[in-house]
Amino acid sequence: MTRGTCGRLALLGLVVSFSVSCGADEGVPRATLDDDGCTFSGRSTADAGRFEIEVENRTRRFASFGVIALAGRARLDEAALARQRVMSRLLARSRARSDSPPPYGSWIAGADVEPAASASLPVDAGAGRYAIACFLHSDADERRTADEVPPPERSYVAAQVEVTGTPAYP
């Protein structure tokens, strides 16, 4: 190896290790569900278009994560009653029917996650406000068909995410 090549490789290694040690992905949105509830960390803003939310299920039960559009100018901190309405509606709602949106906005994206597992939740959203929700399913297998996910036993709203701008694609 030449001296110049060694220098470039050393510089590249330094940049990579600096990025890793400084937490290059600290801004990645992440929802985590455990036995005490659901939390959200990372950026609470995003550019319109495609982005991902890392989701982690730390429970011993199946879980679902979702992104729900908030209607009009609604905000999570102004809508304490919305959480109760969502919980009661979701408990009665069949997840097999995607044409049944939650009561205060439309369902944008969702992911079902096995116990003690992580996944990536792909989102394609226009400008607006969105709720990040977590759903914990019951222990019993209540499915009527293999493709159906039983209604959640508990639901949580982890955060509100503001999406701004216009998607870069047509």
Side-chain angles (χ1 to χ4, degrees), residues 91 137-145 148-153:
L91 289 172
H137 298 286
S138 63
D139 286 331
D141 188 357
E142 300 171 8
R143 295 179 290 183
R144 290 179 285 266
T145 67
E148 183 182 14
V149 177
E153 184 177 278

mmCIF file of all heavy atoms in Angstrom, residues 91 137-145 148-153:
data_model
loop_
_atom_site.group_PDB
_atom_site.id
_atom_site.type_symbol
_atom_site.label_atom_id
_atom_site.label_comp_id
_atom_site.label_asym_id
_atom_site.label_seq_id
_atom_site.Cartn_x
_atom_site.Cartn_y
_atom_site.Cartn_z
ATOM 1 N N LEU A 91 -60.400 -0.668 20.258
ATOM 2 C CA LEU A 91 -60.733 -1.927 20.911
ATOM 3 C C LEU A 91 -61.872 -2.639 20.189
ATOM 4 O O LEU A 91 -61.955 -3.856 20.191
ATOM 5 C CB LEU A 91 -61.086 -1.698 22.376
ATOM 6 C CG LEU A 91 -59.893 -1.313 23.255
ATOM 7 C CD1 LEU A 91 -60.381 -0.928 24.649
ATOM 8 C CD2 LEU A 91 -58.886 -2.437 23.338
ATOM 9 N N HIS A 137 -51.379 -6.022 22.164
ATOM 10 C CA HIS A 137 -52.422 -7.014 21.957
ATOM 11 C C HIS A 137 -52.508 -7.965 23.151
ATOM 12 O O HIS A 137 -51.560 -8.125 23.903
ATOM 13 C CB HIS A 137 -52.171 -7.784 20.658
ATOM 14 C CG HIS A 137 -52.198 -6.877 19.471
ATOM 15 N ND1 HIS A 137 -53.360 -6.353 18.954
ATOM 16 C CD2 HIS A 137 -51.196 -6.362 18.717
ATOM 17 C CE1 HIS A 137 -53.076 -5.572 17.940
ATOM 18 N NE2 HIS A 137 -51.772 -5.552 17.767
ATOM 19 N N SER A 138 -53.658 -8.626 23.294
ATOM 20 C CA SER A 138 -53.864 -9.530 24.418
ATOM 21 C C SER A 138 -52.998 -10.779 24.275
ATOM 22 O O SER A 138 -52.495 -11.085 23.194
ATOM 23 C CB SER A 138 -55.341 -9.927 24.508
ATOM 24 O OG SER A 138 -55.700 -10.627 23.348
ATOM 25 N N ASP A 139 -52.858 -11.504 25.373
ATOM 26 C CA ASP A 139 -52.065 -12.735 25.366
ATOM 27 C C ASP A 139 -52.726 -13.833 24.549
ATOM 28 O O ASP A 139 -52.078 -14.608 23.883
ATOM 29 C CB ASP A 139 -51.881 -13.261 26.797
ATOM 30 C CG ASP A 139 -50.894 -12.409 27.570
ATOM 31 O OD1 ASP A 139 -50.003 -11.824 26.953
ATOM 32 O OD2 ASP A 139 -51.044 -12.345 28.797
ATOM 33 N N ALA A 140 -54.037 -13.923 24.630
ATOM 34 C CA ALA A 140 -54.765 -14.999 23.952
ATOM 35 C C ALA A 140 -54.817 -14.751 22.448
ATOM 36 O O ALA A 140 -54.865 -13.620 21.997
ATOM 37 C CB ALA A 140 -56.177 -15.089 24.512
ATOM 38 N N ASP A 141 -54.820 -15.815 21.690
ATOM 39 C CA ASP A 141 -54.940 -15.714 20.246
ATOM 40 C C ASP A 141 -56.423 -15.651 19.897
ATOM 41 O O ASP A 141 -57.128 -16.649 19.944
ATOM 42 C CB ASP A 141 -54.273 -16.917 19.571
ATOM 43 C CG ASP A 141 -54.193 -16.753 18.070
ATOM 44 O OD1 ASP A 141 -54.695 -15.735 17.547
ATOM 45 O OD2 ASP A 141 -53.621 -17.634 17.424
ATOM 46 N N GLU A 142 -56.892 -14.433 19.600
ATOM 47 C CA GLU A 142 -58.311 -14.224 19.337
ATOM 48 C C GLU A 142 -58.612 -14.098 17.851
ATOM 49 O O GLU A 142 -59.683 -13.654 17.468
ATOM 50 C CB GLU A 142 -58.775 -12.953 20.050
ATOM 51 C CG GLU A 142 -58.587 -13.025 21.546
ATOM 52 C CD GLU A 142 -58.854 -11.683 22.210
ATOM 53 O OE1 GLU A 142 -59.326 -10.750 21.537
ATOM 54 O OE2 GLU A 142 -58.579 -11.576 23.410
ATOM 55 N N ARG A 143 -57.694 -14.474 17.005
ATOM 56 C CA ARG A 143 -57.920 -14.326 15.568
ATOM 57 C C ARG A 143 -58.968 -15.310 15.068
ATOM 58 O O ARG A 143 -59.002 -16.457 15.477
ATOM 59 C CB ARG A 143 -56.614 -14.545 14.793
ATOM 60 C CG ARG A 143 -55.588 -13.483 15.100
ATOM 61 C CD ARG A 143 -54.340 -13.749 14.346
ATOM 62 N NE ARG A 143 -53.702 -14.948 14.911
ATOM 63 C CZ ARG A 143 -52.553 -15.434 14.511
ATOM 64 N NH1 ARG A 143 -51.898 -14.864 13.531
ATOM 65 N NH2 ARG A 143 -52.022 -16.493 15.074
ATOM 66 N N ARG A 144 -59.783 -14.823 14.158
ATOM 67 C CA ARG A 144 -60.762 -15.696 13.508
ATOM 68 C C ARG A 144 -60.170 -16.296 12.231
ATOM 69 O O ARG A 144 -60.572 -17.343 11.801
ATOM 70 C CB ARG A 144 -62.030 -14.899 13.209
ATOM 71 C CG ARG A 144 -62.795 -14.546 14.485
ATOM 72 C CD ARG A 144 -64.029 -13.749 14.157
ATOM 73 N NE ARG A 144 -63.701 -12.382 13.807
ATOM 74 C CZ ARG A 144 -63.701 -11.363 14.658
ATOM 75 N NH1 ARG A 144 -64.014 -11.560 15.916
ATOM 76 N NH2 ARG A 144 -63.408 -10.154 14.269
ATOM 77 N N THR A 145 -59.226 -15.592 11.628
ATOM 78 C CA THR A 145 -58.518 -16.094 10.453
ATOM 79 C C THR A 145 -57.025 -15.849 10.657
ATOM 80 O O THR A 145 -56.627 -15.043 11.495
ATOM 81 C CB THR A 145 -58.963 -15.382 9.155
ATOM 82 O OG1 THR A 145 -58.558 -14.017 9.221
ATOM 83 C CG2 THR A 145 -60.467 -15.470 8.953
ATOM 84 N N GLU A 148 -55.863 -12.113 10.264
ATOM 85 C CA GLU A 148 -56.453 -11.091 11.111
ATOM 86 C C GLU A 148 -55.644 -10.906 12.397
ATOM 87 O O GLU A 148 -55.230 -11.867 13.033
ATOM 88 C CB GLU A 148 -57.883 -11.475 11.464
ATOM 89 C CG GLU A 148 -58.590 -10.436 12.281
ATOM 90 C CD GLU A 148 -59.987 -10.853 12.657
ATOM 91 O OE1 GLU A 148 -60.326 -12.049 12.519
ATOM 92 O OE2 GLU A 148 -60.740 -9.999 13.106
ATOM 93 N N VAL A 149 -55.440 -9.653 12.762
ATOM 94 C CA VAL A 149 -54.787 -9.330 14.031
ATOM 95 C C VAL A 149 -55.893 -8.959 15.011
ATOM 96 O O VAL A 149 -56.768 -8.157 14.681
ATOM 97 C CB VAL A 149 -53.812 -8.147 13.856
ATOM 98 C CG1 VAL A 149 -53.196 -7.755 15.184
ATOM 99 C CG2 VAL A 149 -52.734 -8.510 12.848
ATOM 100 N N PRO A 150 -55.908 -9.539 16.218
ATOM 101 C CA PRO A 150 -56.984 -9.226 17.166
ATOM 102 C C PRO A 150 -56.926 -7.761 17.593
ATOM 103 O O PRO A 150 -55.874 -7.136 17.515
ATOM 104 C CB PRO A 150 -56.711 -10.158 18.346
ATOM 105 C CG PRO A 150 -55.290 -10.534 18.226
ATOM 106 C CD PRO A 150 -54.943 -10.480 16.773
ATOM 107 N N PRO A 151 -58.047 -7.219 18.039
ATOM 108 C CA PRO A 151 -58.055 -5.835 18.509
ATOM 109 C C PRO A 151 -57.072 -5.665 19.669
ATOM 110 O O PRO A 151 -56.855 -6.595 20.439
ATOM 111 C CB PRO A 151 -59.487 -5.616 18.988
ATOM 112 C CG PRO A 151 -60.278 -6.716 18.408
ATOM 113 C CD PRO A 151 -59.342 -7.860 18.161
ATOM 114 N N PRO A 152 -56.479 -4.485 19.810
ATOM 115 C CA PRO A 152 -55.525 -4.279 20.894
ATOM 116 C C PRO A 152 -56.213 -4.249 22.259
ATOM 117 O O PRO A 152 -57.364 -3.846 22.379
ATOM 118 C CB PRO A 152 -54.897 -2.926 20.563
ATOM 119 C CG PRO A 152 -55.881 -2.251 19.693
ATOM 120 C CD PRO A 152 -56.618 -3.311 18.959
ATOM 121 N N GLU A 153 -55.455 -4.677 23.262
ATOM 122 C CA GLU A 153 -55.945 -4.627 24.630
ATOM 123 C C GLU A 153 -55.701 -3.239 25.226
ATOM 124 O O GLU A 153 -56.492 -2.727 26.002
ATOM 125 C CB GLU A 153 -55.219 -5.684 25.459
ATOM 126 C CG GLU A 153 -55.710 -5.796 26.873
ATOM 127 C CD GLU A 153 -54.992 -6.910 27.595
ATOM 128 O OE1 GLU A 153 -55.400 -8.066 27.434
ATOM 129 O OE2 GLU A 153 -54.012 -6.604 28.308
#
